[in-house]
Amino acid sequence: MAEKRKIDKDIDKNINYLKDLLGIGETFDVMFREFRIGHKRAASFTINGMTNDLLIADLFTEMVAVDPQDLSMNTLQKLFYTRAVHTQTKQLDDMNDAVTSLLSGEMLFFVDGAAQVLVIDARAYPSRSPSESNIEKVTRGSRDSFVETIVFNTALIRRRLRDPNLRCEITKVGIRSQTDIAVCYIKDITNPKLVETVKRRLNNIDIDGVPMAEKAIEEFIVGGNKWNPLPKVRYTERPDVAAVHLLEGHVCLVVDTSPDIMILPTTFWHHVQHVEEYRQNVITGTFLRLVRLGAVLFSLLLPPVWLALVLQRQLLPETLAFLGPQDTGIIPLGLQFLLAEIGVEMVRMATVHVPAAQSTALGFIGAFMLGDFATKVGLFGNETIFYTAVSVVGTFATPSVELALAMRFFRIVLIALVMLFKLPGLIGGLAAVLLIFGFTKSFGVSYLWPALPLNLKAMRGVLFRLPIPSKLLRPAALRPKDNDRLEIIHNKSKQDKDDEE
């Protein structure tokens, strides 16, 4: 941590220190300007491209028009209370804090003879307008999503939660990057121990910078085994999803420069639910959820189970004797699946990297032409291509990209075990996967809750899309301060009744 340095009353010392520190004259984007306020010298420092020039011009017009007789004493204090009319203005006496504010886009205003500096938030944030999320699309619902600017993201949450108990506490991470992170939670709902744990882990991050934003922060704060592929936090680009989780008692981390909001803690079931289920009626939403859960299960089990049964055909009952290829192809079946998985991943990465106009054509070439030619020349069997395609569709049906990649990793490991040990390898691999799920925790919450430990009432809520009016209790695993979602309404009704009496 940098040593504390106080603002000097001599304006020249402050100017020379900042000129040397910031490289004014070497870097073009740090702007320095001197003024005359009454009979006193003044100076400002701003970052080019991060300030609202019209707002700054109005402030300077107010300051230079002041009567010199009014500034004979306590010049900075008088300017602060009478001329710096912008709402987001503060006084600092520490130079390091002032430099951090400057590099965040705020303006510094020094006056000779004052041991403080005015910090004026006249930022004009480089940003894009909220647009529909490319990952969490819905047929009905809002089309706004988070952007890369932290104040816009917290405003999108505030728009949906007009609760005075909503807290967005700001902290900075990274000695050099000084990345802004907002810890968002509802004070009278969220477990205070969870909030303290999150803030403590953020404050314990000791690194020069986090330019990869939310992903780097996740790796610092999740704890546990870093080699576990299961995602322990959920990402969302939708403000309504973040608001729903805040009402349940979760904590949301808003990282500046990232359009993805981190929700924690999370379980497996959070990663297989989608906002589309709540934009449809109860029956349709339940159908969508069950289909999605089946797709996730197929994506993990279908290829390794089929391969294990085919490699030991004597274990198949007569009703399943039709399973297995008529022509296995030149390459062994297990290796076919591994090569097909690698091929699918190559196509997926290529579609991400090429321009959008070419991604459709590339996907067509990869999915149809390469697969068709591979079967025609005898390298792959038709069944291999079919079961790989079904598992890949199940992977893409998984709402969470992180969970989908984790399931693909588990699937490849299971296929490799089946190749080496056949059915015992499948059984041992599935047991290992279940143990990983069972022992994984996200900020102290079991990854399989409410299946482990079993909570039948909550389990019904994760398997089926229940009507919103029936969801009266918040998740018990989060240990919220306010467990009853209708308690405030009940208390208000009781108070109204008492008032009438």
Side-chain angles (χ1 to χ4, degrees):
M1 182 178 294
E3 184 180 351
K4 292 286 186 179
R5 179 188 177 93
K6 294 294 183 181
I7 306 280
D8 201 287
K9 288 187 176 182
D10 187 345
I11 192 173
D12 286 320
K13 291 184 179 180
N14 297 324
I15 291 174
N16 293 333
Y17 174 78
L18 288 177
K19 281 185 173 181
D20 181 64
L21 178 68
L22 301 172
I24 294 178
E26 301 174 25
T27 181
F28 79 94
D29 58 338
V30 181
M31 312 301 293
F32 165 70
R33 176 75 190 276
E34 288 197 70
F35 298 88
R36 179 71 63 174
I37 304 295
H39 297 300
K40 293 183 178 291
R41 294 173 57 204
S44 70
F45 290 85
T46 56
I47 301 296
N48 192 19
M50 295 182 69
T51 52
N52 186 330
D53 292 337
L54 293 177
L55 176 59
I56 292 177
D58 291 341
L59 287 170
F60 285 162
T61 301
E62 287 289 327
M63 290 187 180
V64 298
V66 68
D67 190 341
Q69 296 180 356
D70 295 336
L71 301 178
S72 56
M73 296 179 63
N74 299 325
T75 303
L76 194 74
Q77 296 288 332
K78 292 180 179 179
L79 291 176
F80 177 77
Y81 286 108
T82 63
R83 296 293 176 174
V85 294
H86 185 51
T87 55
Q88 294 177 292
T89 304
K90 58 186 176 182
Q91 299 180 74
L92 294 178
D93 58 5
D94 183 81
M95 182 63 79
N96 296 324
D97 293 339
V99 170
T100 299
S101 296
L102 171 64
L103 297 177
S104 298
E106 296 177 293
M107 183 185 74
L108 303 185
F109 192 83
F110 294 91
V111 176
D112 194 21
Q116 294 88 27
V117 59
L118 285 183
V119 179
I120 303 171
D121 191 352
R123 283 177 281 196
Y125 296 96
S127 63
R128 61 182 175 89
S129 299
S131 57
E132 184 177 10
S133 170
N134 289 324
I135 299 176
E136 299 173 278
K137 292 183 178 181
V138 292
T139 54
R140 297 184 185 276
S142 62
R143 295 293 189 265
D144 58 344
S145 63
F146 293 120
V147 294
E148 289 77 11
T149 308
I150 189 172
V151 294
F152 289 2
N153 292 340
T154 54
L156 287 172
I157 296 175
R158 286 273 183 192
R159 186 180 179 188
R160 288 164 171 82
L161 289 179
R162 300 172 183 178
D163 188 340
N165 288 296
L166 175 61
R167 299 290 185 265
C168 297
E169 299 183 16
I170 199 76
T171 186
K172 295 183 183 294
V173 171
I175 299 172
R176 292 184 182 272
S177 67
Q178 291 289 302
T179 304
D180 290 319
I181 301 176
V183 182
C184 299
Y185 63 96
I186 300 179
K187 187 176 181 180
D188 59 343
I189 294 178
T190 309
N191 185 347
K193 291 184 179 179
L194 173 61
V195 177
E196 289 303 318
T197 298
V198 173
K199 292 195 291 187
R200 183 181 71 252
R201 292 183 182 181
L202 286 174
N203 293 329
N204 288 340
I205 296 177
D206 186 14
I207 198 170
D208 56 350
V210 283
M212 299 307 291
E214 79 290 343
K215 189 59 185 176
I217 298 299
E218 176 196 343
E219 295 184 6
F220 275 105
I221 68 172
V222 292
N225 185 5
K226 304 297 186 197
W227 298 101
N228 187 340
L230 294 174
K232 299 178 183 177
V233 301
R234 179 184 178 182
Y235 293 106
T236 184
E237 293 182 354
R238 296 186 60 87
D240 50 1
V241 173
V244 167
H245 284 80
L246 286 170
L247 287 172
E248 289 183 346
H250 293 263
V251 173
C252 292
L253 294 187
V254 186
V255 184
D256 196 25
T257 73
S258 172
D260 297 301
I261 301 303
M262 191 186 308
I263 301 171
L264 50 93
T266 55
T267 66
F268 166 77
W269 311 102
H270 287 104
H271 294 280
V272 294
Q273 294 180 4
H274 193 271
V275 66
E276 177 72 11
E277 299 162 7
Y278 292 96
R279 296 292 182 180
Q280 306 296 337
N281 63 44
V282 174
I283 298 298
T284 305
T286 298
F287 171 74
L288 293 176
R289 179 171 297 183
L290 293 177
V291 169
R292 185 174 291 110
L293 287 172
V296 174
L297 192 63
F298 276 139
S299 71
L300 174 66
L301 297 179
L302 192 59
V305 169
W306 180 85
L307 180 61
L309 294 176
V310 168
L311 292 180
Q312 291 183 291
R313 301 184 66 88
Q314 68 275 13
L315 299 178
L316 287 173
E318 293 184 3
T319 54
L320 297 178
F322 65 90
L323 286 178
Q326 300 297 324
D327 182 10
T328 60
I330 301 173
I331 303 174
L333 282 177
L335 191 57
Q336 287 183 30
F337 276 108
L338 294 180
L339 292 176
E341 291 286 351
I342 294 174
V344 169
E345 188 62 23
M346 290 173 60
V347 173
R348 187 191 70 84
M349 290 189 295
T351 55
V352 172
H353 297 156
V354 301
Q358 302 176 14
S359 60
T360 303
L362 180 61
F364 176 80
I365 292 172
F368 294 97
M369 296 183 66
L370 293 181
D372 185 50
F373 288 144
T375 55
K376 284 184 177 179
V377 301
L379 293 176
F380 288 77
N382 290 324
E383 289 86 349
T384 302
I385 299 298
F386 171 73
Y387 289 115
T388 300
V390 173
S391 65
V392 169
V393 170
T395 298
F396 290 144
T398 308
S400 168
V401 176
E402 293 78 19
L403 180 64
L405 293 176
M407 300 299 275
R408 176 175 293 176
F409 171 78
F410 287 140
R411 183 171 69 238
I412 292 175
V413 171
L414 289 176
I415 292 173
L417 289 174
V418 170
M419 286 177 57
L420 296 174
F421 306 106
K422 299 183 180 178
L423 188 59
L426 175 64
I427 296 173
L430 288 176
V433 170
L434 288 175
L435 287 175
I436 292 174
F437 272 90
F439 283 99
T440 299
K441 290 187 175 182
S442 173
F443 290 85
V445 176
S446 173
Y447 203 67
L448 291 179
W449 185 90
L452 184 70
L454 182 61
N455 185 323
L456 290 177
K457 184 178 291 186
M459 193 67 198
R460 187 179 58 142
V462 299
L463 289 178
F464 306 102
R465 190 287 212 201
L466 300 179
I468 298 297
S470 67
K471 300 182 69 173
L472 304 180
L473 298 178
R474 296 185 172 90
L478 299 176
R479 297 180 176 88
K481 294 172 65 177
D482 179 11
N483 189 52
D484 188 353
R485 302 188 69 170
L486 293 182
E487 183 178 355
I488 295 178
I489 299 176
H490 292 160
N491 291 340
K492 186 177 185 300
S493 300
K494 182 179 179 181
Q495 182 64 40
D496 292 342
K497 186 177 180 180
D498 292 342
D499 292 342
E500 291 177 359
E501 293 178 354

